[in-house]
Amino acid sequence: MTKIKADPDGPEAQAEACSGERTYQELLVNQNPIAQPLASRRLTRKLYKCIKKAVKQKQIRRGVKEVQKFVNKGEKGIMVLAGDTLPIEVYCHLPVMCEDRNLPYVYIPSKTVRSTWPPDLAQHWGVWDSLP
């Protein structure tokens, strides 16, 4: 049995667009030039779910100062950055820190996610998810 890939312009994508959420393509319009590597649509969806679980388990670090402190301490995890955050100078040093310490990092299209998220998480752009 083979899986059939969903059509990006199919009924699911149209239903998602009608529900008040912006589509992945609409989120890509406001990207910063340094937002590389950018997560694919599928990976972005999985990262949103992972972050939501990490918030419930209180295994998440938010904000530049807190993330930077834990990276300097040597804590392991994955860094998720929003690609539409301005000004760029606020967080452009974080990917360099990750590369120096061989930590994975990825950009997602937008810092505002979904209306089902807790309000405090929807406003933050930097996420440091500690691995168990």
Side-chain angles (χ1 to χ4, degrees):
M1 185 182 277
T2 61
K3 290 185 179 181
I4 299 172
K5 291 187 177 181
D7 183 21
D9 298 325
E12 291 178 1
Q14 292 173 356
E16 186 175 304
C18 294
S19 67
E21 297 176 6
R22 295 184 297 173
T23 64
Y24 185 80
Q25 295 301 326
E26 291 172 345
L27 294 174
L28 293 179
V29 174
N30 300 322
Q31 294 302 301
N32 291 330
I34 66 165
Q36 294 295 326
L38 185 65
S40 66
R41 177 182 301 178
R42 184 176 178 199
L43 180 59
T44 300
R45 197 174 303 135
K46 287 184 178 184
L47 285 169
Y48 287 157
K49 288 180 183 179
C50 180
I51 293 169
K52 191 173 180 179
K53 287 181 183 179
V55 168
K56 288 181 181 178
Q57 297 177 0
K58 302 199 187 307
Q59 291 199 351
I60 200 161
R61 311 286 185 244
R62 293 182 276 194
V64 177
K65 285 185 176 182
E66 188 177 359
V67 169
Q68 187 173 342
K69 179 173 76 173
F70 282 95
V71 169
N72 286 333
K73 282 184 177 180
E75 188 173 314
K76 297 291 181 187
I78 181 170
M79 189 177 300
V80 179
L81 303 164
D84 64 348
T85 302
L86 290 175
I88 299 172
E89 293 82 19
V90 172
Y91 70 106
C92 64
H93 65 285
L94 293 175
V96 175
M97 289 177 63
C98 288
E99 289 175 2
D100 288 344
R101 290 164 179 82
N102 294 327
L103 295 173
Y105 70 94
V106 68
Y107 286 90
I108 55 175
S110 179
K111 61 184 171 184
T112 55
V113 187
R114 300 178 188 272
S115 59
T116 58
W117 279 45
D120 62 333
L121 184 61
Q123 299 303 317
H124 291 286
W125 61 269
V127 175
W128 174 257
D129 180 18
S130 60
L131 298 174

